[in-house]
């Protein structure tokens, strides 16, 4: 568990959330999920989809 930043590879959208290419966003890891910040707030994702979500971001630890 921990906190780190990811950088959006492209402009992304998962309505109503967006991420802007080149900007960094905070990730907070919990035991069975992680929280990903967006331009509008934050989303909780289960760890089972982490690889698919992070295909869209560069991890900057």
């Amino acid at each position: 568990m921990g906190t780190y930043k990811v950088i959006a590879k492209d402009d992304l959208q998962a309505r109503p959330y967006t991420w802007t290419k080149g900007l960094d966003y905070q990730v907070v890891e919990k035991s069975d999920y992680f929280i990903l910040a967006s331009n509008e707030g934050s989303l909780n994702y289960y760890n089972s989809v982490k690889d698919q979500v992070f295909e869209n971001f560069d991890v900057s630890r």
Side-chain angles (χ1 to χ4, degrees), residues 6-25 36-40 43 45 50-59:
V6 293
I7 300 169
K9 293 180 180 178
D10 291 301
D11 289 338
L12 304 167
Q13 186 173 48
R15 293 187 192 258
Y17 301 98
T18 61
W19 297 266
T20 303
K21 180 179 180 176
L23 294 185
D24 62 0
Y25 298 92
L36 173 61
S38 76
N39 293 326
E40 292 74 24
L43 293 94
Y45 286 103
K50 188 175 194 178
D51 290 340
Q52 293 92 334
V53 171
F54 283 179
E55 287 177 0
N56 300 297
F57 297 90
D58 288 319
V59 178

Side-chain angles (χ1 to χ4, degrees), residues 23-35:
L23 294 185
D24 62 0
Y25 298 92
Q26 183 173 342
V27 175
V28 179
E29 290 187 344
K30 301 293 186 177
S31 60
D32 59 347
Y33 69 97
F34 63 97
I35 303 165

